[in-house]
Amino acid sequence: MIPGVGTLTQDTLWCFSQVKGTIEIGTTEADIISTVEFNHTGELLATGDKGGRVVIFQREQESKNQVHRRGEYNVYSTFQSHEPEFDYLKSLEIEEKINKIRWLPQQNAAYFLLSTNDKTVKLWKVSERDKRPEGYNLKDEEGRLRDPATITTLRVPVLRPMDLMVEATPRRVFANAHTYHINSISVNSDYETYMSADDLRINLWNFEITNQSFNIVDIKPANMEELTEVITAAEFHPHHCNTFVYSSSKGTIRLCDMRASALCDRHTKFFEEPEDPSNRSFFSEIISSISDVKFSHSGRYIMTRDYLTVKVWDLNMENRPIETYQVHDYLRSKLCSLYENDCIFDKFECVWNGSDSVIMTGSYNNFFRMFDRNTKRDVTLEASRENSKPRAILKPRKVCVGGKRRKDEISVDSLDFSKKILHTAWHPSENIIAVAATNNLYIFQDKVN
């Protein structure tokens, strides 16, 4: 077990650390956070929004050795990653919204990350500059070219200190490979390749080659009227560079091995839970669609999120999940109205903690849920500005279904479905979590005694 990442016992108290973003009155659509991701060390935290911007927060250094005052995350760099485009051939607007961000492991002083909108993946380099060269021979101090005839002596340029600047530069642009909207990107464990997945295809890219990718999954039928399912998420195995999984709108997960064939049209393993006929309804197919799939850090398990549940699957057992957690079972009676207001199509994500012992996922009313796999305890917490005093302990929330309501409970009828936690992230080695609520980023951590 990783030090510092404990289990979710009753002793674990989560407290408010920070909130980034403005109060929601006057929020524009472009400010809504669409993805959250810690880097491999947890020192950096990136968010992408619907306006195509990426904001990177860096953890403060000086408080690392003061356990009681763990470092806050402050803005490190902000840049416009994607711009709105127009596809003239299809007469379609391509949104600038950032769908996913994935960090590459740090190899030198610079940081690298991938960001994608619906069509184009970009590789960004984020680097610091605190020196500038001075004393050019062919330029004056303002940077204007000098007349060579006036140059009588040669100078040796020198590096002078300057205020720290953080620059984000696009190093590669991987475009024109997807007909449908990209829903996932995943960096391979060989760190030379990554994949991008859309509704019907998954492509494998080399980081050095932008004009060519290999199609490794293609589920597009010859006749589109025969289409019965789409790809909803895909991820590489954390340790085996030949293995990946992808999930579908039918609630199935396929594990593929790229050593078997160039086009992985035959899966190696197929994970599906047989449906209980007594629970069958008009909404069964919609709510069984998987919105997120994640390998555990160990690589032994897969976690999937559908509309009402989170499931954990063992790679060695295909016929049913080994664990099923009800996220908001009280919404079963509300599926009709959730269908009418389109909430039933919301795509919730799920994350593991650093030791794979606790899982977290979002819900409505700015609630998010944690499930402890060892003790089977679970807790519902809320991201709200009411509890945003520094070090304020989060009170567990309860939703009451029918009958009498206790004073600390909230009725299922008074839940706010416009406030939803779709995107969350967990620090790779500590109990620090980031939760995106509309245009605000909340950071919580466990209370240090």
Side-chain angles (χ1 to χ4, degrees), residues 140 182 333:
D140 64 16
I182 298 172
S333 59

Side-chain angles (χ1 to χ4, degrees), residues 386-401:
E386 281 74 70
N387 305 338
S388 58
K389 294 184 183 70
R391 319 294 298 152
I393 292 171
L394 300 188
K395 291 191 181 75
R397 303 302 307 263
K398 283 199 170 57
V399 178
C400 96
V401 187

Side-chain angles (χ1 to χ4, degrees), residues 12-148:
T12 307
L13 292 172
W14 288 90
C15 60
F16 172 82
S17 176
Q18 293 168 268
V19 58
K20 302 285 184 186
T22 54
I23 293 169
E24 285 163 28
I25 304 158
T27 303
T28 63
E29 181 81 3
D31 296 328
I32 294 173
I33 297 172
S34 52
T35 183
V36 186
E37 192 77 11
F38 279 102
N39 75 338
H40 292 258
T41 60
E43 292 301 301
L44 298 180
L45 171 63
T47 64
D49 65 25
K50 289 191 174 182
R53 291 179 298 262
V54 172
V55 181
I56 301 174
F57 301 93
Q58 184 183 43
R59 198 174 180 186
E60 289 299 317
Q61 297 291 327
E62 75 274 2
S63 53
K64 265 186 176 172
N65 42 14
Q66 297 171 280
V67 183
H68 292 285
R69 227 187 111 251
R70 286 183 285 182
E72 289 205 335
Y73 284 86
N74 289 321
V75 175
Y76 178 62
S77 175
T78 304
F79 57 94
Q80 188 72 29
S81 173
H82 287 70
E83 301 279 356
E85 294 172 61
F86 192 77
D87 184 336
Y88 290 97
L89 290 174
K90 297 198 180 94
S91 293
L92 274 181
E93 284 185 34
I94 300 167
E95 286 185 8
E96 64 272 41
K97 174 191 164 204
I98 308 291
N99 291 344
K100 286 282 185 287
I101 288 172
R102 290 289 178 264
W103 290 91
L104 276 67
Q106 194 179 357
Q107 309 287 353
N108 52 30
Y111 301 99
F112 287 87
L113 61 89
L114 287 172
S115 65
T116 185
N117 68 346
D118 285 341
K119 296 286 183 224
T120 306
V121 184
K122 294 184 181 181
L123 175 68
W124 289 89
K125 176 186 180 182
V126 181
S127 53
E128 295 181 356
R129 212 170 59 163
D130 61 356
K131 292 183 176 64
R132 66 166 177 264
E134 281 182 9
Y136 288 112
N137 288 291
L138 296 174
K139 291 179 183 171
D140 64 16
E141 300 308 323
E142 304 295 315
R144 291 186 295 261
L145 284 174
R146 291 166 64 182
D147 179 3

